[in-house]
Each structure stands twice: as C-alpha cells, then as structure tokens.
Amino acid sequence: MRPWLGGLLLAGAACASSPVAFDKPTDVAVAPSGDFYVSDGYGNTRVARFKADGTYVSEWGGSGTKPGELDIPHGIALGPDGRVYVADRGNARIQVFDADGAFLAEWKSPHLGRPWGIALGRDGFLYVIDGGDQNAEHPRARALKLDLEGNVVARWGEHGQGPGQFDWGHDIAVDSQGNVYVVDVRGRRVQKFRAP
C-alpha cells in the first residue's frame, strides 16, 4: 500500500471498507474541473468520485445486473456534457450516468459485444475495445467507434495476434491527434491506429 493524492490508498481487500481505499481499480477519468472518477472494478465494483485535491465526493454501483449496478466496471470516460460512460465488462454493456451517478442509459447489443475499455476522442466519439467472450471455437475481438447515443459507426480488427488483430483487447486510449491505441493481454503489446 502507498499513499496517493492526499490520503487516497491503492489497496487490497483488507482496506476496501474505507471509501478512499481502492480494491484493484481499473481506470481513471479526469473532468475539466480536476474532479476525477475511478472505476474501482474487481473488488469494490463501484465508481468513485473525488475532487481535484483527492477529497472523496460520492460513489455508486455495487454488484449486480440491474440498471446502475455493475460487474467489473473496467473502463470509464467523461463526455463534454459531464456524462460518465462506464464499460461494465461483466455485464457486457456500457452504462451512462450523469456527473452525480444517476443512471441515464444502458447500451447492450451483439454489435457492442463485451466492452473492456472505453475512451472519448476529441472528435466527440467514444472508442471501445471489445475484449470478446473468448469462446475457443468463435473468439471475438474488435475495436469500435460509437457516437454519444451508443450507435456503432465504425469497427476494425479481429481475433488473433497479427497486425491489426487483438487477443484479449484490454484497454483503449485516444491521443490529441486522433490516434487510437489498443493494448491486448495475450499479444503483450500496444498497437497504434488512425481513427476510422
């Protein structure tokens, strides 16, 4: 354990009872104000919000399948309107919340797959890595570009370890030039793409 940002702790389950202690967090998204949101995925199954100085504000989630509940919140992104987009990996969906954690929408479909990571580009689109269900007979892996209503506008990639393929695509990021970066676990690499 080590201190982080004014008393926040990166911790194991032994410290998970404190609202400022994480249990295997998966992602962080920072608002223009400096407030930040943590998808505290594996152990606490929540989204936690903090002020820029690390002061705890609130949290939401909890384990389950109902709207607002989560199962391994694995990625998080913030929209320009303050909406919070959460890659709810275990439930194979993206959930949308307002800045205070009120549930707004759920996006779930075969076209979306199982979102593992999510990022917002400067172009106003969400980029998602579908890590797949990893069915040995029909493995799936792809990157997706979505509008802010959850519609898939582009997709690329397939399962494998060759160039442009993904094997357990784990996270996605977009830089200021519009380049998209995807990391996959089994391929042990990061690949760079131009956004479609």
Side-chain angles (χ1 to χ4, degrees):
M1 259 184 277
R2 61 188 169 123
W4 184 64
L5 287 177
L8 296 179
L9 299 173
L10 295 175
C15 294
S17 60
S18 168
V20 297
F22 303 125
D23 190 359
K24 301 181 190 93
T26 53
D27 204 358
V28 176
V30 182
S33 66
D35 285 10
F36 59 97
Y37 297 77
V38 179
S39 54
D40 194 7
Y42 288 95
N44 290 331
T45 314
R46 66 175 180 158
V47 171
R49 180 181 180 185
F50 298 87
K51 292 195 174 294
D53 65 1
T55 302
Y56 172 82
V57 176
S58 63
E59 65 183 74
W60 67 87
S63 185
T65 60
K66 295 177 184 171
E69 296 177 339
L70 303 163
D71 183 3
I72 310 179
H74 203 268
I76 192 165
L78 301 179
D81 57 358
R83 290 185 178 198
V84 182
Y85 300 88
V86 179
D88 187 6
R89 186 176 103 177
N91 287 320
R93 65 186 177 184
I94 292 173
Q95 292 198 70
V96 186
F97 302 91
D98 72 12
D100 297 316
F103 173 81
L104 300 174
E106 171 189 270
W107 303 340
K108 183 177 179 121
S109 75
H111 301 294
L112 185 60
R114 185 176 298 279
W116 287 34
I118 189 169
L120 181 71
R122 286 191 177 182
D123 58 4
F125 289 94
L126 287 167
Y127 292 84
V128 176
I129 186 66
D130 171 9
D133 295 318
Q134 304 314 318
N135 177 323
E137 294 181 20
H138 305 287
R140 187 186 70 245
R142 59 196 167 186
L144 306 165
K145 180 178 179 179
L146 282 64
D147 66 20
L148 296 184
E149 297 301 316
N151 301 303
V152 177
V153 298
R155 66 174 54 95
W156 71 96
E158 62 184 1
H159 183 264
Q161 293 189 4
Q165 297 177 326
F166 311 113
D167 195 353
W168 271 26
H170 211 73
D171 207 354
I172 195 163
V174 185
D175 70 18
S176 61
Q177 320 291 282
N179 298 302
V180 180
Y181 302 85
V182 177
V183 60
D184 60 310
V185 174
R186 290 185 177 158
R188 296 184 180 185
R189 64 186 176 173
V190 176
Q191 294 185 78
K192 178 181 177 182
F193 303 89
R194 282 300 286 164

